[in-house]
Amino acid sequence: MGQDVTRGAFSREDRARYRHKVRRCLDVFALMLNDFRFDSDRPTTGLEIEVNLIDPDAQPAMRNAEILADLADPSFQTELGQFNLEINVAPRLIGGDGLEVYEREVLASLVHADERAHKSDARLVLIGILPTLRPEHLVLANMSNDPRYRLLNDQIINARGEDIALDIRGHERLEAQSDSIAGESACTSVQFHLQVAPEDFARYWNASQAIAGIQVAVGANSPFLFGKRLWAETRIALFEQATDTRPEELKAQGVRPRVWFGERWITSIFDLFEENVRYFPPLLPITEEEDPVAVLEAGGVPRLGELRLHNGTIYRWNRPVYDIMNGRPHLRVENRVLPAGPTVVDQVANAAFYFGLVRELCEQDRPIWTQMSFSAAEENFHVAAREGLDAQVWWPEVGDVAVATLVLDELLPLAAAGLDRFGVDPATRDRLLGVIEGRCRTGQNGATWQTRMVQHFEEHEGLDRQKALQKMLQRYAEGLHENVPVHTWPV
């Protein structure tokens, strides 16, 4: 939800007006998909990276406003919690050395921001969930001072009608209650954007859904929350629960959650926007002056503001995006399944694996989504989030298989072929996919390194859990500047 919103309470008239307007936008979007020229000649990619701030004691540092003021860099902005930042990386083609340019630019920006953060007695950390977070950190008072976050919080809590309950059962169990959506601020992710043509969107979205579990298993980096060891990628469970607008009765009735994997393969991007309008009541019924029909009839490009805002309050793990750049509309798949970190090179390797694999799967004569059920893809996703690199997943023509074996034997060659289709330099391709291979061969990603280090500090140095987490995070944070892949980190 990137738009600024300032309204407080909404009336019945606001909601009725918005519902009418969002449906009008949907009708116009359908017309555009049939007759309009979207920008897809040279499909670009993009990255968004969420970052945490910690103090010298490895505790969350609630200082994003002063750090942003000192940075004065428009590519950085606030996120939900005062201990969060987000960097929006300029879109680019990944052919040639595009992925290496991503790595250099992101690393330089984050190192610069980290140096400026030191002036506020803080440092940056790329991690899925800060392991030193405690319940008292995730409260309304520690949300960023931006009206859109408070407004969104009020609308979700009002829709739910009761406190948010967290119940995550992994290696250990966490039960907690919250009177706000501040728990969502613990979830820090990296998001990959891939621009696609309208006629290709369904294939790319379906392929992204099919491999979501594999991505999570290989890239898991969130094993701890509130001192508990939970899932390899606890961020998945936390995000699903921390923004759930449904009380227990609506869950029992099968009402869809706003953090949603989905329930079927699609044939068009329209399927997803139509589901958004059909299944989800508006959280932020704010209307704009634009008449999208009049704009379209006049030969202009409609903003479709209401449809886009509504889409921004429905948190699909692979989200459809309609946007306008330089006066031309385009469509993107926003891949949201992965946590931030551990290093910039790890994140760019994750990007290379995703972009290459999804491209190759879309080019196959017999698409992957015609060979597996949607429920199998969803089951893979949650199994992978729980077990990480230890997960057993189901894959067509293979059956049940260890995820590392599947990646090494089947998927890395496909990802390499897909990167070749993008025109990525072979040396860049091999170096980045080698990072993914290294994790699978060593069995070490961010989640396993964190858990092994904490276990080492507990068993060999006699530290309690909180001290072990603190010491582990201090060592982990050094990885930003070193930029060495996590599978090579010593324990």
Side-chain angles (χ1 to χ4, degrees):
M1 189 189 70
Q3 294 160 273
D4 288 331
V5 291
T6 57
R7 290 285 299 278
F10 298 106
S11 67
R12 294 179 181 178
E13 291 76 15
D14 289 332
R15 295 184 182 279
R17 187 182 308 112
Y18 181 87
R19 180 172 284 109
H20 171 75
K21 188 71 177 295
V22 78
R23 288 175 175 167
R24 190 171 177 85
C25 287
L26 185 65
D27 291 341
V28 169
F29 185 56
L31 294 173
M32 294 178 69
L33 290 174
N34 288 331
D35 301 323
F36 216 84
R37 179 171 175 77
F38 286 78
D39 188 5
S40 59
D41 298 335
R42 302 183 71 205
T44 58
T45 64
L47 302 179
E48 295 177 65
I49 303 168
E50 295 165 356
V51 183
N52 283 294
L53 302 169
I54 59 171
D55 66 18
D57 293 323
Q59 303 302 308
M62 308 297 174
R63 297 167 197 159
N64 66 356
E66 60 185 272
I67 292 170
L68 282 172
D70 188 50
L71 267 174
D73 183 343
S75 64
F76 284 88
Q77 60 187 38
T78 60
E79 254 298 329
L80 183 62
Q82 292 182 24
F83 59 96
N84 304 141
L85 295 175
E86 180 178 271
I87 178 172
N88 292 289
V89 185
R92 69 170 50 257
L93 300 170
I94 62 170
D97 65 348
L99 288 167
E100 290 197 346
V101 175
Y102 264 141
E103 183 180 349
R104 291 196 299 268
E105 289 184 352
V106 172
L107 182 61
S109 293
L110 291 177
V111 167
H112 173 68
D114 188 56
E115 291 169 351
R116 302 306 287 263
H118 288 174
K119 295 173 61 178
S120 299
D121 210 20
R123 65 192 303 189
L124 272 61
V125 181
L126 298 171
I127 197 166
I129 294 177
L130 273 182
T132 52
L133 281 169
R134 299 188 302 274
E136 58 265 31
H137 295 133
L138 300 182
V139 296
L140 191 61
N142 286 334
M143 288 172 58
S144 292
N145 187 24
D146 188 318
R148 61 177 171 156
Y149 297 129
R150 299 302 177 99
L151 181 56
L152 183 64
N153 174 78
D154 293 346
Q155 294 301 303
I156 288 178
I157 296 300
N158 289 341
R160 184 180 176 91
E162 58 189 43
D163 286 353
I164 292 172
L166 301 179
D167 186 357
I168 305 175
R169 308 180 190 196
H171 291 270
E172 298 167 1
R173 183 177 182 182
L174 172 67
E175 294 181 280
Q177 296 278 333
S178 176
D179 62 358
S180 74
I181 65 168
E184 182 192 339
S185 64
C187 304
T188 41
S189 65
V190 58
Q191 294 143 32
F192 305 139
H193 291 253
L194 181 58
Q195 183 180 324
V196 296
E199 62 270 19
D200 296 331
F201 185 93
R203 293 188 297 124
Y204 276 90
W205 188 85
N206 288 342
S208 297
Q209 292 287 98
I211 65 173
I214 311 303
Q215 288 181 267
V216 169
V218 172
N221 194 31
S222 312
F224 294 101
L225 177 63
F226 297 165
K228 303 281 190 181
R229 181 186 171 193
L230 300 168
W231 293 12
E233 190 47 45
T234 304
R235 185 183 116 269
I236 300 297
L238 176 59
F239 194 45
E240 288 177 343
Q241 296 182 24
T243 53
D244 198 341
T245 58
R246 306 167 302 162
E248 292 300 323
E249 295 81 2
L250 292 184
K251 293 180 186 178
Q253 294 173 34
V255 172
R256 279 85 172 173
R258 294 192 91 95
V259 179
W260 198 28
F261 189 81
E263 60 190 19
R264 63 187 176 113
W265 306 119
I266 65 169
T267 59
S268 166
I269 187 175
F270 184 82
D271 295 346
L272 301 178
F273 281 101
E274 193 272 336
E275 284 180 347
N276 289 354
V277 175
R278 177 154 42 105
Y279 293 145
F280 298 98
L283 287 179
L284 301 170
I286 300 168
T287 54
E288 300 183 0
E289 294 298 322
E290 177 190 76
D291 180 347
V293 174
V295 172
L296 186 65
E297 290 177 345
V301 180
R303 278 181 37 81
L304 307 183
E306 293 80 8
L307 190 66
R308 294 163 68 189
L309 178 58
H310 189 49
N311 184 53
T313 65
I314 298 157
Y315 305 96
R316 296 178 184 271
W317 293 110
N318 284 292
R319 177 188 274 166
V321 176
Y322 166 84
D323 206 351
I324 302 168
M325 182 174 293
N326 299 323
R328 295 188 65 185
H330 68 264
L331 306 177
R332 304 194 303 268
V333 177
E334 181 186 10
N335 179 254
R336 304 164 48 84
V337 305
L338 285 175
T343 65
V344 173
V345 68
D346 281 306
Q347 292 181 146
V348 177
N350 290 338
F353 184 58
Y354 168 70
F355 290 136
L357 183 55
V358 77
R359 172 72 180 268
E360 186 63 18
L361 290 175
C362 286
E363 301 287 346
Q364 292 185 328
D365 292 335
R366 189 181 177 197
I368 186 70
W369 55 93
T370 67
Q371 303 177 60
M372 67 189 301
S373 67
F374 194 89
S375 61
E378 183 175 16
E379 177 65 15
N380 283 350
F381 180 67
H382 285 100
V383 167
R386 289 193 296 271
E387 303 298 333
L389 279 172
D390 292 329
Q392 294 273 329
V393 296
W394 187 90
W395 198 254
E397 299 183 0
V398 178
D400 293 326
V401 60
V403 70
T405 300
L406 177 66
V407 172
L408 291 170
D409 293 350
E410 304 283 341
L411 302 186
L412 278 175
L414 295 178
L419 292 178
D420 289 343
R421 291 182 186 272
F422 277 113
V424 174
D425 287 340
T428 300
R429 174 201 67 199
D430 293 345
R431 181 176 70 89
L432 293 174
L433 293 185
V435 172
I436 305 300
E437 178 183 0
R439 289 186 214 153
C440 293
R441 293 200 184 280
T442 62
Q444 181 165 292
N445 57 14
T448 52
W449 185 87
Q450 289 186 56
T451 56
R452 289 168 180 172
M453 287 302 298
V454 168
Q455 184 177 13
H456 170 81
F457 291 139
E458 289 177 335
E459 295 181 356
H460 297 281
E461 299 189 16
L463 301 183
D464 63 22
R465 176 61 61 83
Q466 291 302 323
K467 290 292 186 182
L469 290 170
Q470 179 184 16
K471 188 170 182 179
M472 178 274 288
L473 184 56
Q474 288 170 327
R475 184 170 298 183
Y476 178 104
E478 296 169 3
L480 174 63
H481 289 265
E482 296 171 355
N483 197 36
V484 175
V486 72
H487 73 273
T488 67
W489 292 10
V491 176

